[in-house]
Amino acid sequence: MSLQQKTLHAFLGGNVICEVSQPAIYRFLHEEDGFEQVTPLIEAMGCKIATTGGRKGHFLAWADGSPEAAAAIRSTARDMQEECEKLIHCMSFMLEVDDTAGPLAMGDLVRAAAIVEAIDGNAAMRDKLGTLAAVMRVNSATDHGKITDILKKLKDMGYLTLVNRDREEYFVTGKIDRINDILTHFHSHIGSLQIEADVGGVQGDLF
């Protein structure tokens, strides 16, 4: 499969392409005229390549105002609502693991060992881990198992990419920028994460 084909498959699969998650495709877009190659094909489907607010990630968004596009945007927005709520809990928890690091950002290293160290002997943090595990719907009986399963789930959702399997280390991907864009939009325009509201104004920017 050519890089052009891989790029189209990545976009159509709902991925946020960044230099952390898919470096070869990201280089193809930025260094090998990849945008020029794939944009006409994407536009022919009534879509466009959108870029996250941090300018570090690219994803497929609707470009036309058809009823079909509006319905698809609302469906995607409803799916993203649950995902946003999970990420809010994850980001809040990670701030408590290391309050000097700031909010999760693309390229950050997430280490299972650091989370284990933060909850060791800390009953309040253990309780918060249990709450996060319930939100993420992981059922491991041990604290380390919960941490392992949460990180794997975040990887499966596209927010982390594995760096070292044995040490359970991950990099945060550019998809975190997209979720931050969505959270910022709905909190600034609506005051809460009620995505059932009108999403027409974000067409081509977020969905």
Side-chain angles (χ1 to χ4, degrees), residues 2-4 7 23-38:
S2 68
L3 266 176
Q4 182 193 73
T7 301
I25 292 176
Y26 187 85
R27 285 194 300 270
F28 168 69
L29 289 171
H30 284 267
E31 300 173 12
E32 302 177 33
D33 298 325
F35 282 115
E36 287 77 5
Q37 293 185 41
V38 301

Side-chain angles (χ1 to χ4, degrees), residues 70-121:
I73 290 169
R74 283 184 167 79
S75 176
T76 300
R78 284 192 294 270
D79 292 340
M80 291 297 292
Q81 180 169 0
E82 181 179 353
E83 195 163 310
C84 285
E85 290 167 348
K86 289 178 180 177
L87 263 293
I88 290 170
H89 281 86
C90 287
M91 290 188 285
S92 175
F93 179 78
M94 289 306 299
L95 276 173
E96 298 207 44
V97 168
D98 183 359
D99 60 4
T100 66
L104 286 177
M106 192 187 97
D108 284 353
L109 181 65
V110 176
R111 300 167 50 245
I115 303 174
V116 170
E117 183 179 348
I119 67 172
D120 186 33

